[in-house]
Each structure stands twice: as structure tokens, then as C-alpha cells.
Amino acid sequence: MPERNPKAPMPPLTFSADVEAARKAGRPVVALESTIITHGMPWPRNLEMARTVEDDIRAGGATPATIAVMDGQIHIGLDDAALTRLAQSRDARKLSRADLAVALAQRWTGATTVAATMICARLAGIAVFATGGIGGVHRGAESSFDISADLQELAQTPVTVVAAGAKAILDLPKTLEVLETLGVPVIAYGQDALPAFWSRDAGLMAPLRLDTAAEVAAAHRMRARLGLPGGQLIANPIPAEAEIPAATLAPLIAQALDEAKAQGVTAKEVTPFLLGRTLELTEGRSLTANIALVRNNARLGAEIACALAG
Ligand code: PSU
Ligand code: MN
């Protein structure tokens, strides 16, 4: 990654008062993305989720920093008015690495994906980021070339990302292969199996396993000591009581995928389309599970941030 020129203007970051206070005092902060709010869940459950997840992080002894681009500034920490505006918005853009600079230069408002949130977290000096699921290699990627920029970002930006694995709408074996090629540690938390977002077990072994937040923090520090670029992916299984068995989901996901293909859905629209259809086809069960797993990841993210700060 090229070094920033110290004489260049600073990146356009705006910190909320509580994130700024936590940063100054060296207290733990956990970053949160905003595409999950604008493109991942319907109103008003998206706002409820965003508030609850922030409360979970506070209860875990850390300060939440939801990240979004608003009016040409990267906001690190959103107040309730900003969170509500974003959650209600119908035209917020989905901003990934490729979009970030144009969005800021054009003074757009938009939500950050996992990749863009990692970039902003690093600029803000935040080491831990909790979300639902990362993007990955889509099924049929051998012809569509649809591979999320999230994977490249994990390879180059030093942030520990807590997710519930990658969604079952993706091609999980290919996602693991690409992460291995990119040198991204995929670490299942507290179990050997790779979690698959709505289900605890993808039927695949995770390449690595750790069992405590302190171990995750130690591995994060060791990457820095080795001068390795990039982050680590902590795959935290959804709580057992909230999981949807993979066998229940498989036919519904197959249907959503068929519809996406038939309707010619491509590029940025693919993930929101598949999430939306899965929600409809599971009659809301996928949303309840999604909220449970994000909260679970927020709690672990807070623990890891506390371990890193301690
Ligand atoms: N997974 C979810 N909900 C989401 C996303 C992923 O369960 O909202 C979002 C994240 O912001 C992720 C993005 O970074 O989708 C990936 O989009 P794409 O596949 O277009 O890279
Ligand atoms: Mn894509």
C-alpha cells in the first residue's frame, strides 16, 4: 500500500463526539458498516438493528463507530439523526473501494460496504470491525467474474473483521480458495467448521480456529509485528437458537439465484437482490437470523477491541 504523503491534505474524516473521546483516551472502538443498513435490511428493522448493535457494543465496554459517507465526509460514528436518515433513505449509494474517492469528491451520501468500511476504519485508527457477512465469490463466478472487493480488501487493509462467515448465496469453497490465495487468515471462532451465515456449519472445515478474544487480539498484533499487510477474518457462528438449517435454506437460495439470473441482475445489485429475495422466501426468518448474528458479532468485536486496548 503506498504511504500517504504527509504534506497532502488529511482525509475528510468527521468523528462523532463519543468516538473522538474514546480515540483520544485510547479506549476500545468497534467499527460498523452501513451497507447492511441501506441495502441489507428493510426499513424499519434496519434502524432497530443499527441501534441495537451499537448498544451491544457499548454493553461490551467499547464505543461503536458506524461508518458512512455523508455530504462528502467520511463519518466515523453517526448520531441518531444521521442513522435514521441513512436507514430511511431510498437512494443512498452502495460504496465500495472503487467508489469511495469519487463519492467524496462529488459530495455524495452513501453507505460503505465491508471493503470501504475497512478503508475508513484504518484511516480512523480503528482495528476491529463487526458486521454480518462479507461479500465473496458468487456462484457462477467462473463465467460472471463476480468476486466481491471485500476479499481483496481483507488482503491489504489491517483490520480484524468479525463476520458470521460468508452467505450461503455465495460459492463458499471458491471463497475460501480465493482468501487462501490472497493470504487472508480465515479463523473460525470456537469451532472447527466454517460457519455459513444463517447456519453454523457450512460443511467445510475452516482453515484456522481460535477460541478466545485474547487469542484473536494476539494474532492481530502479530500480523503487525511481521509487517504483513491485510486483516483477518473471524468467522463467528450464529447462535444455535437463531440458526436456520442449511437444508431448509438450500432450495430457497436456489430459487433466488434462478430469479436473479432470469432477471439479469448484475454487479452491485446481486447481493442486495439475493438478500431481499431470501428474506421474502423465508417469510422474514432470514432477517431475524441476520439480526441475531450481527449482534453476536458485535459482542465479540467489543471483546476483541477490549483485548487489543488492554
Ligand atoms: N452481507 C450481508 N448483508 C449485507 C452485505 C453482505 O449479510 O448487507 C453487504 C456488505 O456491505 C458487503 C456487501 O460488503 O454486501 C458485498 O457486496 P458485493 O457482493 O456487491 O461486494
Ligand atoms: Mn459483486
Side-chain angles (χ1 to χ4, degrees):
M1 191 186 318
E3 285 301 310
R4 269 192 76 250
N5 173 354
K7 288 192 189 132
M10 295 301 286
L13 296 176
T14 299
F15 290 91
S16 68
D18 49 346
V19 173
E20 179 66 11
R23 254 162 52 90
K24 282 216 170 106
R27 291 198 304 268
V29 177
V30 177
L32 296 164
E33 61 151 315
S34 43
T35 296
I36 188 173
I37 303 173
T38 55
H39 291 72
M41 292 184 189
W43 167 267
R45 296 286 296 281
N46 58 350
L47 178 60
E48 252 173 70
M49 178 281 303
R51 287 175 174 156
T52 309
V53 164
E54 290 204 347
D55 288 342
D56 289 329
I57 289 172
R58 287 190 195 96
T63 300
T66 302
I67 293 178
V69 169
M70 302 190 90
D71 309 316
Q73 286 281 311
I74 298 170
H75 283 257
I76 311 288
L78 300 181
D79 62 18
D80 202 63
L83 216 52
T84 306
R85 179 178 150 201
L86 208 61
Q88 270 178 328
S89 155
R90 295 184 161 276
D91 52 12
R93 295 176 193 249
K94 174 178 165 184
L95 307 175
S96 195
R97 164 177 276 263
D99 314 293
L100 204 50
V102 168
L104 290 163
Q106 294 285 326
R107 309 192 69 76
W108 291 347
T109 291
T112 49
T113 64
V114 168
T117 304
M118 289 180 73
I119 294 169
C120 298
R122 187 188 67 83
L123 290 171
I126 302 171
V128 182
F129 161 27
T131 184
I134 61 158
V137 180
H138 281 263
R139 301 193 199 176
E142 61 275 24
S143 56
S144 70
F145 281 44
D146 189 349
I147 302 177
S148 176
D150 293 351
L151 302 186
Q152 288 273 7
E153 206 57 52
L154 280 159
Q156 52 186 317
T157 299
V159 172
T160 287
V161 179
V162 185
K167 267 150 298 165
I169 56 176
L170 300 169
D171 187 320
L172 296 181
K174 286 197 184 78
T175 301
L176 276 185
E177 290 292 351
V178 170
L179 286 167
E180 183 185 319
T181 301
L182 294 172
V184 176
V186 178
I187 303 167
Y189 190 75
Q191 67 179 30
D192 294 323
L194 181 76
F197 201 71
W198 296 295
S199 322
R200 286 174 66 83
D201 186 343
L204 297 166
M205 287 282 284
L208 297 160
R209 167 184 175 158
L210 292 174
D211 291 282
T212 66
E215 288 174 347
V216 173
H220 179 102
R221 285 199 200 93
M222 187 57 75
R223 285 187 71 82
R225 277 176 70 183
L226 296 176
L228 289 174
Q232 29 181 27
L233 176 62
I234 309 304
N236 187 29
I238 183 173
E241 65 277 10
E243 109 171 295
I244 308 178
T248 309
L249 279 171
L252 305 178
I253 289 169
Q255 183 182 339
L257 286 163
D258 284 347
E259 290 176 8
K261 204 171 178 187
Q263 295 177 34
V265 180
T266 58
K268 279 171 186 283
E269 319 300 329
V270 175
T271 296
F273 178 90
L274 293 175
L275 286 175
R277 280 305 282 148
T278 307
L279 181 139
E280 288 161 7
L281 294 170
T282 60
E283 290 162 349
R285 235 179 118 194
S286 69
L287 179 57
T288 310
N290 200 342
I291 293 171
L293 66 86
V294 182
R295 295 188 62 185
N296 193 46
N297 296 340
R299 288 187 290 263
L300 178 57
E303 252 190 274
I304 296 166
C306 289
L308 270 175

